[in-house]
Amino acid sequence: MDNIRFIALQTAMCRTQKSVSFPDKKASEYFGELTFNEPAMREYLTEEAFQKVMNAIEKGIKIDRGIADQVAAGIKSWAINNGATHYTHWFLPLTGATAEKHDAFIDPVEGGEGIEKFRGIELTQQEPDASSFPSGGIRSTFEARGYTAWDPTSPAFIMDRTLCIPTVFVSYTGEALDYKTPLLKALYAIDKAAVDVCQYFDKDITKVFATLGWEQEYFLVDEALFQARPDLMLTGRTLFGHSSAKDQQLEDHYFGTIPQRAMAFMQEFELEAHRLGVPVKTRHNEVAPNQFECAPVFEEANLSVDHNQLLMHLLEKIAKRHHFTVLLHEKPFAGVNGSGKHSNWSLKTNSGENLLSPGRTPKSNLRFLTFLVNTVKAVYEHADLIRAIIASPGNDHRLGGNEAPPAIVSAFIGAQLTQLLNMIETSTKKVRIDSNGDTELLKDFPKIPEILLDNTDRNRTSPFAFTGDKFEFRAVGSSHTCAPAMITINLIVADQLMKFKKDVDALIGKKVRKDNAIFQVLKKYIKESKPIRFEGNNYSEEWVTEAAKRGLSNHNNTPDALKAMTSKKTVRLFADNNVLSERELEARYEIKLEHYTKKIQIESRVLGDLSMNHIIPIAIKYQNTLIDNVKGLKQVLDYQTYGKLSHNQMETITEISEHVDKIKTFVHKMIEARKVANRIDDIVEKSHTYCKQVYPFFSEIRTHVDKLEMLVDDELWPLPKYRELLFMR
Ligand code: ADP
Ligand code: MG
């Protein structure tokens, strides 16, 4: 067979830009048309059913069986009128992907005819045979039943002529087997805790929503080139590849003109996203060549998590139509930027106010400071957990890579707010109460809105940065679901707010005036959580030293980082708030370790196979042509000239042998290390062994393969090179 790389290159070069067929409607006319949104509900549900669903969405009130039947009938008519033939419960198992099992609406009836059926029970609950989903030992195979149950807060939608119903997924014994279950519980916790604290400031606040706006980064490569790289296909990243002479050093890709082929792809996925109600808003080129970003308008966190999941699915699906493969991996290419999923988080009240947005009055500023300081304190208390939930083999390459947040968790709030917190920390003033009983406390400090207007200072290196009216959690990996990040942030802040309320109430009980009590507790928290605040360059070496002095952890690999998932502190946090039990946490920990181990195992196998079957044979083939050449020279030249002219070839022949030898030795050693690791039963030990004994061979082997890439005749090299993968074709 001819060199597959050239076949792929030829295919990629002949691509023409696919045209997108735009609907002849305005975006506002097709936005959300494939979701069972409020207008659809009004049209297809009885008034009673509509109210009950709205109550379930807004107040979490359960929908009874009779109403469920009515809702099901409405959804069915809507779905069928919009072309759906099947339905499925759509859930987020612990694989991190989405899962679905489709059933047809059609049911045969006597006389050989069929009718579409969909009852309340099929809407609200299903029992998929779930034995093949990871459960971390929670569900033994003899009790393989798992249940999915409807989540009315995330609207059903139609994709590929299938009605998709977002659901939670739990085991027969009631344990969570998915991300949505603990997410909904964490969101409930933050709602309750934040409302309780808001009551100090405003009695009209009865509901608090967490908001999430993610920013999804990804790479695009031509599908033919992707398929010519077994490492990309099997592991999602390149295990080899010499850097391209030009990549991102000229900084000419970021915000540059979007290539036409990529633009057509974006227009098409945005169109589909909008029809599904996913409010994608911005698109741009990212730092690395062929790297892009898409971000929506923020939404309520549970919906936003589902929408990100849906978007990742759309990206992959629509990319195929354009003969692209989308790479969601955190680090598909060494040496250029990796991809993240910045998760912007804030809290919004029923009256639409942002609790992390400073207000105009001293009172609302005290509220703002309350939420800001409690968030920072929560991050301080649970930094290790935050590090744990973003740990993955893909993110290990990215974190601390001088382009992404480091593995040390810290929070940035900007110079002016830092100054303000420092002033509060050292203030000896008491709160002054004006004639209306309002606090004048903060009148002594600089006005916060003015500070923030000025505050253009954005620290791009911080993993958790306050950016004016929200926190931006930047360490989430591009392929991850946002759910763990949202479970964790909301839960730790909820837990912290509850402690805050307790502390404040205790002081009030001792006859301290409310505002004074709040101020005193904040002051204490500001002091206690100081070590987590860092305004400097998170990529610097000095920070590593400084963070160690402050007692902050720095776990630079997944197995180490994951330990915090079952620490005493974490178990207490999740159990006290009824989000996950210790057993459920342990199961999740185990699943993460298994996942890590399997990923490294697969990468190691691919690396070994490619080295032995692709790289070494080609290197030897090229070496043979050099040997033939030397032999030929010897025949046609006199001894002296031959000695002079064959020198270069001889050198290359030797170098090739040296690299081949090294590759073989390291591959052999890596396989031996793998055998040892595979014999270990304990998953904690096994994952650490993979990390410490197997993984280090990757870079050793890669170094020599990449050297060979530079030596071997370009016409023979079998794998598409970085310069071919990274520039749009
Ligand atoms: P960048 O971080 O690239 O400078 P922006 O700050 O404008 O961009 O916003 C990035 C993301 O932050 C968007 O996805 C947006 O929806 C989200 N965002 C903005 N405000 C909030 C908020 N109050 N809560 C959650 N996400 C928000
Ligand atoms: Mg951002």
PDB file of all heavy atoms in Angstrom, residues 127 132 191 195 214 232 265 320 353 430 445 488 502 562 611 619 650 667 679 681 694-695 699 726:
ATOM      1  N   GLU A 127     -35.883   1.903  33.135  1.00  0.00           N
ATOM      2  CA  GLU A 127     -35.021   0.974  33.852  1.00  0.00           C
ATOM      3  C   GLU A 127     -34.013   0.374  32.868  1.00  0.00           C
ATOM      4  O   GLU A 127     -34.156  -0.760  32.443  1.00  0.00           O
ATOM      5  CB  GLU A 127     -35.909  -0.125  34.458  1.00  0.00           C
ATOM      6  CG  GLU A 127     -35.262  -0.919  35.528  1.00  0.00           C
ATOM      7  CD  GLU A 127     -36.173  -2.028  36.008  1.00  0.00           C
ATOM      8  OE1 GLU A 127     -37.365  -1.761  36.248  1.00  0.00           O
ATOM      9  OE2 GLU A 127     -35.687  -3.157  36.130  1.00  0.00           O
ATOM     10  N   SER A 132     -23.279  -2.188  32.334  1.00  0.00           N
ATOM     11  CA  SER A 132     -22.017  -1.840  31.678  1.00  0.00           C
ATOM     12  C   SER A 132     -21.562  -0.407  31.908  1.00  0.00           C
ATOM     13  O   SER A 132     -20.593   0.035  31.320  1.00  0.00           O
ATOM     14  CB  SER A 132     -22.127  -2.098  30.177  1.00  0.00           C
ATOM     15  OG  SER A 132     -22.363  -3.457  29.981  1.00  0.00           O
ATOM     16  N   ASP A 191     -28.906  27.065  46.849  1.00  0.00           N
ATOM     17  CA  ASP A 191     -30.131  27.877  46.857  1.00  0.00           C
ATOM     18  C   ASP A 191     -30.529  28.178  48.302  1.00  0.00           C
ATOM     19  O   ASP A 191     -30.680  29.330  48.706  1.00  0.00           O
ATOM     20  CB  ASP A 191     -31.235  27.094  46.115  1.00  0.00           C
ATOM     21  CG  ASP A 191     -32.596  27.783  46.178  1.00  0.00           C
ATOM     22  OD1 ASP A 191     -32.632  28.979  46.496  1.00  0.00           O
ATOM     23  OD2 ASP A 191     -33.615  27.108  45.913  1.00  0.00           O
ATOM     24  N   VAL A 195     -30.029  31.814  50.066  1.00  0.00           N
ATOM     25  CA  VAL A 195     -31.261  32.541  50.431  1.00  0.00           C
ATOM     26  C   VAL A 195     -31.214  32.904  51.912  1.00  0.00           C
ATOM     27  O   VAL A 195     -31.495  34.043  52.301  1.00  0.00           O
ATOM     28  CB  VAL A 195     -32.528  31.703  50.107  1.00  0.00           C
ATOM     29  CG1 VAL A 195     -33.754  32.291  50.782  1.00  0.00           C
ATOM     30  CG2 VAL A 195     -32.738  31.640  48.593  1.00  0.00           C
ATOM     31  N   TRP A 214     -19.898  28.565  30.184  1.00  0.00           N
ATOM     32  CA  TRP A 214     -18.629  27.894  29.874  1.00  0.00           C
ATOM     33  C   TRP A 214     -18.030  28.465  28.600  1.00  0.00           C
ATOM     34  O   TRP A 214     -18.725  29.095  27.792  1.00  0.00           O
ATOM     35  CB  TRP A 214     -18.821  26.391  29.748  1.00  0.00           C
ATOM     36  CG  TRP A 214     -20.135  25.998  29.112  1.00  0.00           C
ATOM     37  CD1 TRP A 214     -21.277  25.664  29.781  1.00  0.00           C
ATOM     38  CD2 TRP A 214     -20.464  25.943  27.712  1.00  0.00           C
ATOM     39  NE1 TRP A 214     -22.284  25.394  28.888  1.00  0.00           N
ATOM     40  CE2 TRP A 214     -21.812  25.552  27.614  1.00  0.00           C
ATOM     41  CE3 TRP A 214     -19.740  26.161  26.547  1.00  0.00           C
ATOM     42  CZ2 TRP A 214     -22.460  25.391  26.382  1.00  0.00           C
ATOM     43  CZ3 TRP A 214     -20.372  26.008  25.316  1.00  0.00           C
ATOM     44  CH2 TRP A 214     -21.723  25.629  25.249  1.00  0.00           C
ATOM     45  N   LEU A 232      -3.999   9.542  17.495  1.00  0.00           N
ATOM     46  CA  LEU A 232      -5.131  10.472  17.654  1.00  0.00           C
ATOM     47  C   LEU A 232      -6.441   9.704  17.734  1.00  0.00           C
ATOM     48  O   LEU A 232      -7.311  10.001  18.549  1.00  0.00           O
ATOM     49  CB  LEU A 232      -5.199  11.430  16.462  1.00  0.00           C
ATOM     50  CG  LEU A 232      -4.525  12.794  16.568  1.00  0.00           C
ATOM     51  CD1 LEU A 232      -4.785  13.603  15.306  1.00  0.00           C
ATOM     52  CD2 LEU A 232      -5.012  13.557  17.797  1.00  0.00           C
ATOM     53  N   PHE A 265     -18.358  25.185   9.176  1.00  0.00           N
ATOM     54  CA  PHE A 265     -18.631  24.229  10.259  1.00  0.00           C
ATOM     55  C   PHE A 265     -19.282  24.937  11.446  1.00  0.00           C
ATOM     56  O   PHE A 265     -20.287  24.486  12.003  1.00  0.00           O
ATOM     57  CB  PHE A 265     -17.310  23.552  10.659  1.00  0.00           C
ATOM     58  CG  PHE A 265     -17.277  23.024  12.061  1.00  0.00           C
ATOM     59  CD1 PHE A 265     -18.005  21.898  12.406  1.00  0.00           C
ATOM     60  CD2 PHE A 265     -16.505  23.647  13.043  1.00  0.00           C
ATOM     61  CE1 PHE A 265     -17.983  21.415  13.707  1.00  0.00           C
ATOM     62  CE2 PHE A 265     -16.475  23.171  14.336  1.00  0.00           C
ATOM     63  CZ  PHE A 265     -17.214  22.054  14.677  1.00  0.00           C
ATOM     64  N   LYS A 320     -18.130  16.023  11.383  1.00  0.00           N
ATOM     65  CA  LYS A 320     -18.069  14.929  10.399  1.00  0.00           C
ATOM     66  C   LYS A 320     -18.642  15.372   9.057  1.00  0.00           C
ATOM     67  O   LYS A 320     -18.124  15.011   7.998  1.00  0.00           O
ATOM     68  CB  LYS A 320     -18.829  13.704  10.915  1.00  0.00           C
ATOM     69  CG  LYS A 320     -18.089  12.982  12.006  1.00  0.00           C
ATOM     70  CD  LYS A 320     -18.486  11.510  12.092  1.00  0.00           C
ATOM     71  CE  LYS A 320     -17.662  10.804  13.146  1.00  0.00           C
ATOM     72  NZ  LYS A 320     -18.088  11.093  14.530  1.00  0.00           N
ATOM     73  N   GLU A 353     -30.931  39.771  40.418  1.00  0.00           N
ATOM     74  CA  GLU A 353     -29.673  40.410  40.819  1.00  0.00           C
ATOM     75  C   GLU A 353     -28.534  39.392  40.866  1.00  0.00           C
ATOM     76  O   GLU A 353     -28.731  38.249  41.267  1.00  0.00           O
ATOM     77  CB  GLU A 353     -29.825  41.004  42.217  1.00  0.00           C
ATOM     78  CG  GLU A 353     -30.601  42.280  42.266  1.00  0.00           C
ATOM     79  CD  GLU A 353     -30.758  42.728  43.713  1.00  0.00           C
ATOM     80  OE1 GLU A 353     -31.500  42.059  44.455  1.00  0.00           O
ATOM     81  OE2 GLU A 353     -30.123  43.718  44.080  1.00  0.00           O
ATOM     82  N   LYS A 430     -15.740  50.439  64.137  1.00  0.00           N
ATOM     83  CA  LYS A 430     -17.022  49.786  64.369  1.00  0.00           C
ATOM     84  C   LYS A 430     -17.990  50.262  63.293  1.00  0.00           C
ATOM     85  O   LYS A 430     -17.777  51.311  62.677  1.00  0.00           O
ATOM     86  CB  LYS A 430     -17.567  50.182  65.734  1.00  0.00           C
ATOM     87  CG  LYS A 430     -16.980  49.350  66.844  1.00  0.00           C
ATOM     88  CD  LYS A 430     -18.059  49.032  67.858  1.00  0.00           C
ATOM     89  CE  LYS A 430     -17.696  47.805  68.644  1.00  0.00           C
ATOM     90  NZ  LYS A 430     -18.775  47.363  69.478  1.00  0.00           N
ATOM     91  N   PHE A 445     -14.794  53.076  53.212  1.00  0.00           N
ATOM     92  CA  PHE A 445     -13.905  52.419  52.263  1.00  0.00           C
ATOM     93  C   PHE A 445     -14.177  52.919  50.854  1.00  0.00           C
ATOM     94  O   PHE A 445     -15.235  53.485  50.583  1.00  0.00           O
ATOM     95  CB  PHE A 445     -14.119  50.908  52.333  1.00  0.00           C
ATOM     96  CG  PHE A 445     -13.782  50.345  53.684  1.00  0.00           C
ATOM     97  CD1 PHE A 445     -14.753  49.787  54.482  1.00  0.00           C
ATOM     98  CD2 PHE A 445     -12.478  50.409  54.164  1.00  0.00           C
ATOM     99  CE1 PHE A 445     -14.447  49.284  55.731  1.00  0.00           C
ATOM    100  CE2 PHE A 445     -12.168  49.910  55.415  1.00  0.00           C
ATOM    101  CZ  PHE A 445     -13.148  49.346  56.200  1.00  0.00           C
ATOM    102  N   THR A 488     -19.028  20.898  42.876  1.00  0.00           N
ATOM    103  CA  THR A 488     -18.061  21.268  43.909  1.00  0.00           C
ATOM    104  C   THR A 488     -18.168  22.728  44.313  1.00  0.00           C
ATOM    105  O   THR A 488     -18.270  23.043  45.497  1.00  0.00           O
ATOM    106  CB  THR A 488     -16.639  20.947  43.411  1.00  0.00           C
ATOM    107  OG1 THR A 488     -16.617  19.577  43.038  1.00  0.00           O
ATOM    108  CG2 THR A 488     -15.605  21.202  44.481  1.00  0.00           C
ATOM    109  N   LYS A 502     -24.157  30.656  60.781  1.00  0.00           N
ATOM    110  CA  LYS A 502     -24.028  30.197  62.165  1.00  0.00           C
ATOM    111  C   LYS A 502     -23.169  31.173  62.969  1.00  0.00           C
ATOM    112  O   LYS A 502     -23.521  31.576  64.075  1.00  0.00           O
ATOM    113  CB  LYS A 502     -23.353  28.833  62.159  1.00  0.00           C
ATOM    114  CG  LYS A 502     -24.163  27.751  62.810  1.00  0.00           C
ATOM    115  CD  LYS A 502     -23.336  26.513  62.743  1.00  0.00           C
ATOM    116  CE  LYS A 502     -23.844  25.381  63.554  1.00  0.00           C
ATOM    117  NZ  LYS A 502     -23.152  24.161  63.159  1.00  0.00           N
ATOM    118  N   LEU A 562      -6.311  13.000  43.070  1.00  0.00           N
ATOM    119  CA  LEU A 562      -7.626  12.396  43.354  1.00  0.00           C
ATOM    120  C   LEU A 562      -7.845  12.026  44.819  1.00  0.00           C
ATOM    121  O   LEU A 562      -8.985  11.888  45.262  1.00  0.00           O
ATOM    122  CB  LEU A 562      -7.826  11.141  42.485  1.00  0.00           C
ATOM    123  CG  LEU A 562      -8.048  11.377  40.990  1.00  0.00           C
ATOM    124  CD1 LEU A 562      -8.144  10.043  40.264  1.00  0.00           C
ATOM    125  CD2 LEU A 562      -9.323  12.196  40.764  1.00  0.00           C
ATOM    126  N   SER A 611       5.562   2.485  17.690  1.00  0.00           N
ATOM    127  CA  SER A 611       7.023   2.527  17.650  1.00  0.00           C
ATOM    128  C   SER A 611       7.565   1.309  16.930  1.00  0.00           C
ATOM    129  O   SER A 611       8.421   1.412  16.048  1.00  0.00           O
ATOM    130  CB  SER A 611       7.604   2.533  19.065  1.00  0.00           C
ATOM    131  OG  SER A 611       7.141   3.638  19.766  1.00  0.00           O
ATOM    132  N   ALA A 619      12.208   3.501   9.689  1.00  0.00           N
ATOM    133  CA  ALA A 619      13.566   3.993   9.925  1.00  0.00           C
ATOM    134  C   ALA A 619      14.577   3.034   9.307  1.00  0.00           C
ATOM    135  O   ALA A 619      15.549   3.454   8.661  1.00  0.00           O
ATOM    136  CB  ALA A 619      13.803   4.142  11.423  1.00  0.00           C
ATOM    137  N   MET A 650      27.076   7.739   6.511  1.00  0.00           N
ATOM    138  CA  MET A 650      27.486   6.817   7.578  1.00  0.00           C
ATOM    139  C   MET A 650      27.018   7.332   8.946  1.00  0.00           C
ATOM    140  O   MET A 650      26.540   6.569   9.778  1.00  0.00           O
ATOM    141  CB  MET A 650      29.026   6.652   7.600  1.00  0.00           C
ATOM    142  CG  MET A 650      29.568   5.822   6.462  1.00  0.00           C
ATOM    143  SD  MET A 650      28.835   4.168   6.367  1.00  0.00           S
ATOM    144  CE  MET A 650      29.505   3.454   7.844  1.00  0.00           C
ATOM    145  N   VAL A 667      10.797   0.682  24.826  1.00  0.00           N
ATOM    146  CA  VAL A 667       9.493   0.020  24.648  1.00  0.00           C
ATOM    147  C   VAL A 667       9.485  -1.287  25.436  1.00  0.00           C
ATOM    148  O   VAL A 667       8.523  -1.603  26.142  1.00  0.00           O
ATOM    149  CB  VAL A 667       9.183  -0.226  23.151  1.00  0.00           C
ATOM    150  CG1 VAL A 667       7.981  -1.159  22.989  1.00  0.00           C
ATOM    151  CG2 VAL A 667       8.914   1.093  22.437  1.00  0.00           C
ATOM    152  N   ARG A 679      -0.379  -6.670  37.241  1.00  0.00           N
ATOM    153  CA  ARG A 679      -0.566  -7.741  38.237  1.00  0.00           C
ATOM    154  C   ARG A 679      -1.083  -7.194  39.574  1.00  0.00           C
ATOM    155  O   ARG A 679      -1.476  -7.939  40.442  1.00  0.00           O
ATOM    156  CB  ARG A 679       0.748  -8.501  38.440  1.00  0.00           C
ATOM    157  CG  ARG A 679       1.000  -9.550  37.347  1.00  0.00           C
ATOM    158  CD  ARG A 679       2.072 -10.539  37.760  1.00  0.00           C
ATOM    159  NE  ARG A 679       3.379  -9.909  37.841  1.00  0.00           N
ATOM    160  CZ  ARG A 679       4.244  -9.858  36.817  1.00  0.00           C
ATOM    161  NH1 ARG A 679       3.933 -10.389  35.661  1.00  0.00           N
ATOM    162  NH2 ARG A 679       5.407  -9.273  36.960  1.00  0.00           N
ATOM    163  N   ASP A 681      -3.635  -5.677  42.071  1.00  0.00           N
ATOM    164  CA  ASP A 681      -5.092  -5.659  42.176  1.00  0.00           C
ATOM    165  C   ASP A 681      -5.616  -4.345  42.734  1.00  0.00           C
ATOM    166  O   ASP A 681      -6.646  -3.846  42.312  1.00  0.00           O
ATOM    167  CB  ASP A 681      -5.586  -6.808  43.077  1.00  0.00           C
ATOM    168  CG  ASP A 681      -5.523  -8.125  42.337  1.00  0.00           C
ATOM    169  OD1 ASP A 681      -5.647  -8.087  41.087  1.00  0.00           O
ATOM    170  OD2 ASP A 681      -5.323  -9.164  42.983  1.00  0.00           O
ATOM    171  N   VAL A 694       5.209   3.483  34.432  1.00  0.00           N
ATOM    172  CA  VAL A 694       4.938   3.265  33.002  1.00  0.00           C
ATOM    173  C   VAL A 694       5.002   4.596  32.248  1.00  0.00           C
ATOM    174  O   VAL A 694       5.724   4.744  31.258  1.00  0.00           O
ATOM    175  CB  VAL A 694       3.549   2.601  32.792  1.00  0.00           C
ATOM    176  CG1 VAL A 694       3.252   2.417  31.312  1.00  0.00           C
ATOM    177  CG2 VAL A 694       3.488   1.266  33.528  1.00  0.00           C
ATOM    178  N   TYR A 695       4.281   5.550  32.754  1.00  0.00           N
ATOM    179  CA  TYR A 695       4.146   6.839  32.063  1.00  0.00           C
ATOM    180  C   TYR A 695       5.486   7.532  31.740  1.00  0.00           C
ATOM    181  O   TYR A 695       5.631   8.088  30.647  1.00  0.00           O
ATOM    182  CB  TYR A 695       3.227   7.744  32.885  1.00  0.00           C
ATOM    183  CG  TYR A 695       3.022   9.094  32.280  1.00  0.00           C
ATOM    184  CD1 TYR A 695       2.294   9.234  31.095  1.00  0.00           C
ATOM    185  CD2 TYR A 695       3.600  10.228  32.842  1.00  0.00           C
ATOM    186  CE1 TYR A 695       2.134  10.473  30.515  1.00  0.00           C
ATOM    187  CE2 TYR A 695       3.442  11.476  32.268  1.00  0.00           C
ATOM    188  CZ  TYR A 695       2.713  11.589  31.105  1.00  0.00           C
ATOM    189  OH  TYR A 695       2.568  12.820  30.527  1.00  0.00           O
ATOM    190  N   SER A 699       7.830   9.926  27.332  1.00  0.00           N
ATOM    191  CA  SER A 699       8.636  11.025  26.788  1.00  0.00           C
ATOM    192  C   SER A 699       9.990  10.516  26.325  1.00  0.00           C
ATOM    193  O   SER A 699      10.566  11.035  25.367  1.00  0.00           O
ATOM    194  CB  SER A 699       8.777  12.140  27.818  1.00  0.00           C
ATOM    195  OG  SER A 699       9.463  11.663  28.933  1.00  0.00           O
ATOM    196  N   LEU A 726      -1.714  20.805  11.924  1.00  0.00           N
ATOM    197  CA  LEU A 726      -2.037  22.051  12.632  1.00  0.00           C
ATOM    198  C   LEU A 726      -2.467  23.200  11.732  1.00  0.00           C
ATOM    199  O   LEU A 726      -2.895  24.236  12.219  1.00  0.00           O
ATOM    200  CB  LEU A 726      -0.843  22.498  13.470  1.00  0.00           C
ATOM    201  CG  LEU A 726      -0.718  21.814  14.829  1.00  0.00           C
ATOM    202  CD1 LEU A 726       0.594  22.165  15.497  1.00  0.00           C
ATOM    203  CD2 LEU A 726      -1.890  22.194  15.729  1.00  0.00           C
TER     204      LEU A 726
END
